[in-house]
Amino acid sequence: MRGSSFRRLASTLSVEMRGAPVRGPVLTDGVGVVERGGHGFNAGDLVHARGLRGTWADRAPLEADATRVVKLPPATPVARAAASFAAAATAYGLLRDVDAGDVVIHLGAEGAVGQCVAQICGARGAKALGLVSGDVLDPGDAVDVLKNLGAVAAAPARFARDPACRALVADLREAAPSDTATLLVDCERIDVAAVNEVLRAAARGAGAGRAAMASADARDVRDAKLLRTCAALCGAEATVHAHGAAPEQLLVGGARAFHLDQFLDGASGEMAAVVAAVAKADATVFSEAHSDATLPHALHGLDGTVAKHAYRQPVWLADAP
């Protein structure tokens, strides 16, 4: 145990944080400057760090494991990197096996990851259909953003149940190299455990499914139906990736959970592409940058976290923008 603790401390970097995707009671990732050099980093290096131990309220450099820190080009704008770096890395990881002509359906595509997915698919010639969550304040605006970023189609999530959606996906799949599609699910937009309960009951038979739906929250029933519909659109052999705040795998289509840490720690070549995309602004995320003084009160949750405002990504900065 002592040896393990020593190794962890020996690889620790001190990072002065400058910006993060959200302002919450616990800081998990963000952009900052290395305070002291070591482990391949120099003092003053601009970095993206994750797995942080501390809060914004500390107003002091935070400790980060050097293996979970990525160096950024010095000229990278802090607000852009704070908003989009983790999202771009997640999108690259989710789309590692997607090539030109492939079909990608993204449920919950209005977020930062969805915006990056649309851009990467557009750049590769893949065909992305972005489905916007029903809880978004302005779904029409979010749909327009996704189309402008590279999605071949975008619509509110309820469109998945429309016969026109089945026809659209069938046409896309017919012209694709593979006869199946890739389904991406943003689990920050759903209650995974509750949705899984509905799916488990439905798997036991029609009677059990109806009983579960009658007692479940209407939003969980809606999300379970959407998941099954989207999985059917993609085909029986579809690849299904769950990303975001998913404590367990979704019980649909053999979904596989995607973990950002595994991608960043084990794919140096792809990581270079992510860094370059963020630095060159090839991966754009529409964000609202704020300081303590400018962050709108409406974005604050009761527990101190920040809720997503429509599809925009609030970014907190240590200094006023």
Side-chain angles (χ1 to χ4, degrees):
M1 181 65 70
R2 291 180 62 188
S4 175
S5 298
F6 175 77
R7 285 192 297 272
R8 181 178 61 79
L9 292 173
S11 64
T12 296
L13 282 174
S14 181
V15 180
E16 180 185 343
M17 301 309 298
R18 299 291 176 84
V22 295
R23 179 184 182 276
V26 178
L27 187 61
T28 57
D29 72 276
V31 175
V33 175
V34 175
E35 185 187 47
R36 296 185 304 275
H39 315 294
F41 296 89
N42 298 316
D45 281 346
L46 184 67
V47 297
H48 183 278
R50 59 201 189 283
L52 295 167
R53 298 181 288 276
T55 70
W56 282 114
D58 294 338
R59 294 296 184 181
L62 301 182
E63 301 303 308
D65 190 318
T67 63
R68 305 182 74 186
V69 175
V70 177
K71 189 180 299 186
L72 300 175
T76 303
V78 169
R80 182 194 305 151
S84 62
F85 184 82
T90 299
Y92 270 88
L94 292 168
L95 299 173
R96 274 180 290 183
D97 299 326
V98 171
D99 297 316
D102 289 349
V103 178
V104 176
I105 299 177
H106 195 177
L107 185 55
E110 70 278 1
V113 174
Q115 293 177 36
C116 292
V117 164
Q119 293 170 79
I120 296 169
C121 285
R124 292 184 184 175
K127 303 166 184 177
L129 166 58
L131 296 175
V132 175
S133 301
D135 300 329
V136 170
L137 297 180
D138 192 345
D141 196 11
V143 164
D144 289 342
V145 166
L146 291 170
K147 288 180 178 177
N148 290 334
L149 289 176
V152 298
R158 63 180 180 273
F159 177 62
R161 299 192 294 268
D162 193 306
C165 184
R166 290 197 296 272
L168 169 64
V169 175
D171 288 343
L172 293 175
R173 286 176 54 188
E174 185 176 354
S178 170
D179 62 354
T180 60
T182 297
L183 174 62
L184 311 179
V185 183
D186 186 346
C187 288
E188 289 186 345
R189 302 321 199 248
I190 65 176
D191 184 335
V192 177
V195 168
N196 273 343
E197 285 301 315
V198 176
L199 293 172
R200 284 192 188 96
R204 293 197 296 268
R210 284 194 296 269
M213 290 180 186
S215 61
D217 185 280
R219 288 171 297 183
D220 299 327
V221 173
R222 175 199 67 188
D223 293 335
K225 289 180 176 179
L226 276 172
L227 278 168
R228 294 184 67 181
T229 299
C230 290
L233 288 172
C234 291
E237 302 300 322
T239 297
V240 185
H241 284 301
H243 68 95
E248 54 187 303
Q249 293 184 348
L250 286 169
L251 298 177
V252 58
R256 294 175 291 178
F258 173 82
H259 299 288
L260 178 60
D261 280 351
Q262 295 176 356
F263 173 67
L264 294 184
D265 292 342
S268 59
E270 292 167 296
M271 194 66 261
V274 177
V275 174
V278 174
K280 293 163 51 182
D282 288 343
T284 300
V285 171
F286 287 87
S287 62
E288 298 174 345
H290 303 285
S291 66
D292 271 341
T294 64
L295 190 65
H297 178 73
L299 294 180
H300 284 279
L302 294 178
D303 59 354
T305 59
V306 175
K308 287 182 171 60
H309 179 59
Y311 60 93
R312 306 285 177 175
Q313 308 299 309
V315 180
W316 189 78
L317 302 176
D319 301 311

